[in-house]
Amino acid sequence: MNAAQLELAFSLALDCAWKYQLCTLPNPAVGAALLGKHGEIIALGAHQYAGAPHAEVLALQQGYAILSGDNAILALQESRAIHDYLRKNHHGIFRNCTLLVTLEPCNHEGKTPSCAALLIELGLQDVLFALPDPTPQASGGSTALLAAGIRCATLHNENHLMRAKRLLYPFATLQQKGTFVCFKIAQRLDGSLEGGLISSLESRTLTHTWRGVFDLLVISGRTIRNDRPTLDTRLAQTGNPPDVLILTRDVHSIDRSIPLFHIERNVHFTNSPGIFQSLHTLGNYKNIIIEGGAELFASVEAHIDMIALFLAPNMAEKGHVRIQSSLPWKLWQSQQIPCTASMSSDMLLWLGRD
């Protein structure tokens, strides 16, 4: 496999994983690419949500169907079932294949079986990965692979490592700090934030999916009063609505008939962004998403770990409220949100600080 083939495969594996960023919490977002004897890309996979098959397993599932012509495996959705099918039916079909993964294959059996154990049974030729698994209970996959005679190596390209670290950042932050805070914002091409609905249905559906993963949603009192939101997961039709923290100086001005109060959840109030330094006083909140505009962003920016910015392909007729930042945010990743209703679709920009 030459450097150009490796670069392409790694980029595609990363792009595949970024589609499910945040959806996998508290698990890491991981991408994988299965390569053939000559470095050709056979299949891609990405971990999609906690408890679902890992990226390696999904790439192997797709790859098995392509290489063998046996599509029965594609009907399997549960990780253990896919593992068992591959073990019984692979017949050495992967012996000349290389698996490229953004994170070291797990060496742990929890909700899903060990990926390292599966790779050993399938007898792949090579396994390449960008970052070692940072969790003690799941690490050691590379050691197990090497002991079984499978060539296993880490990537040493600095660009690959940086991109892999950015993908892993929410999970790594959660492991290191005990909390992860993401600010979600939507704006138009001209930077405007006000003036009604901005994002497409598909972007709003993705936001609802994230809500079902996060423990706590933070929002401003102004947004509550103006928009009277529900703050649920109805568009995604999955996951439970998160608890809500309302940042306001005037608790009594919040109308309790607003729909968000009629969902079974805890609703907290605070008048200071300093609450982020002591979230344990409210509850066991680890994954926190903040939804808001320029004013809320300015008040909580120092506490944000990552920004998810939806950029709509239109401009406002009037209005000039724009977000301003005091910190050195960098564009880490961009992706187009699939849209079926029209020819244009939103872009999702991920920003972080290296």
Side-chain angles (χ1 to χ4, degrees):
M1 183 192 323
N2 60 43
Q5 289 174 313
L6 180 61
E7 175 65 31
L8 176 60
F10 188 71
S11 293
L12 290 175
L14 281 170
D15 289 344
C16 193
W18 274 102
K19 293 178 182 178
Y20 301 97
Q21 183 63 276
L22 305 186
C23 300
T24 63
L25 290 173
N27 286 3
V30 181
L34 181 67
L35 309 178
K37 181 178 180 180
H38 303 290
E40 71 277 16
I41 298 172
I42 298 173
L44 298 169
H47 186 44
Q48 299 178 16
Y49 59 90
H54 289 182
E56 302 96 311
V57 177
L58 292 175
L60 290 166
Q61 180 188 34
Q62 292 287 334
Y64 172 82
I66 292 169
L67 293 172
S68 69
D70 177 7
N71 290 327
I73 193 173
L74 299 179
L76 304 177
Q77 299 181 2
E78 197 270 333
S79 186
R80 195 171 300 277
I82 300 171
H83 278 243
D84 291 343
Y85 197 98
L86 289 171
R87 288 191 181 103
K88 293 176 183 177
N89 301 286
H90 70 88
H91 302 302
I93 202 170
F94 298 109
R95 68 169 60 95
N96 294 318
C97 292
T98 295
L99 188 68
L100 175 63
V101 197
T102 60
L103 184 67
E104 178 185 21
C106 68
N107 193 37
H108 168 257
E109 181 151 347
K111 291 182 178 180
T112 60
S114 163
C115 289
L118 176 63
L119 296 174
I120 291 170
E121 289 199 43
L122 299 184
L124 274 79
Q125 178 174 280
D126 294 279
V127 175
L128 303 175
F129 63 94
L131 299 174
D133 195 301
T135 56
Q137 67 270 27
S139 63
S142 58
T143 301
L145 290 167
L146 288 168
I150 294 178
R151 291 184 301 200
C152 185
T154 57
L155 301 175
H156 296 292
N157 182 291
E158 289 298 322
N159 182 53
H160 292 166
L161 295 178
M162 178 187 68
R163 295 170 70 191
K165 287 178 180 177
R166 288 174 171 178
L167 174 67
L168 190 65
Y169 186 78
F171 176 76
T173 301
L174 191 58
Q175 293 293 309
Q176 294 164 10
K177 291 173 42 181
T179 59
F180 169 72
V181 180
C182 179
F183 193 99
K184 175 263 172 182
I185 192 167
Q187 68 177 47
R188 302 178 185 86
L189 288 177
D190 58 1
S192 61
L193 304 169
E194 76 280 28
L197 197 62
I198 296 176
S199 298
S200 67
L201 174 62
E202 290 78 7
S203 294
R204 286 180 280 125
T205 299
L206 180 55
T207 298
H208 282 216
T209 300
W210 293 346
R211 288 177 183 172
V213 172
F214 280 84
D215 306 319
L216 183 69
L217 190 161
V218 181
I219 198 162
S220 71
R222 172 178 292 183
T223 298
I224 297 298
R225 288 187 290 269
N226 292 344
D227 297 348
R228 300 181 64 84
T230 305
L231 302 180
D232 61 2
T233 59
R234 65 189 181 279
L235 293 179
Q237 297 182 342
T238 184
N240 296 316
D243 288 354
V244 173
L245 173 62
I246 300 173
L247 188 59
T248 180
R249 294 187 181 90
D250 187 2
V251 174
H252 301 293
S253 67
I254 305 295
D255 181 0
R256 298 310 195 274
S257 69
I258 293 173
L260 78 88
F261 292 100
H262 299 281
I263 293 177
E264 187 175 348
R265 56 152 55 117
N266 295 312
V267 179
H268 310 283
F269 295 88
T270 182
N271 61 3
S272 171
I275 192 67
F276 287 98
Q277 298 171 339
S278 56
L279 281 172
H280 63 275
T281 62
L282 297 179
N284 187 30
Y285 298 119
K286 297 179 179 179
N287 304 319
I288 299 98
I289 187 166
I290 308 172
E291 298 183 23
E295 185 177 347
L296 180 59
F297 179 84
S299 66
V300 301
E301 184 180 10
H303 306 284
I304 299 170
D305 296 310
M306 181 182 281
I307 299 171
L309 191 157
F310 289 92
L311 185 62
N314 52 62
M315 299 185 187
E317 294 182 3
K318 58 182 179 179
H320 300 285
V321 176
R322 291 177 173 83
I323 195 168
Q324 297 183 6
S325 173
S326 60
L327 297 175
W329 296 98
K330 295 181 180 179
L331 178 62
W332 280 4
Q333 177 76 5
S334 63
Q335 64 200 67
Q336 192 168 23
I337 302 296
C339 183
T340 57
S342 64
M343 294 300 292
S344 60
S345 59
D346 296 348
M347 291 294 295
L348 174 54
L349 309 181
W350 296 96
L351 290 86
R353 301 195 301 273
D354 291 317

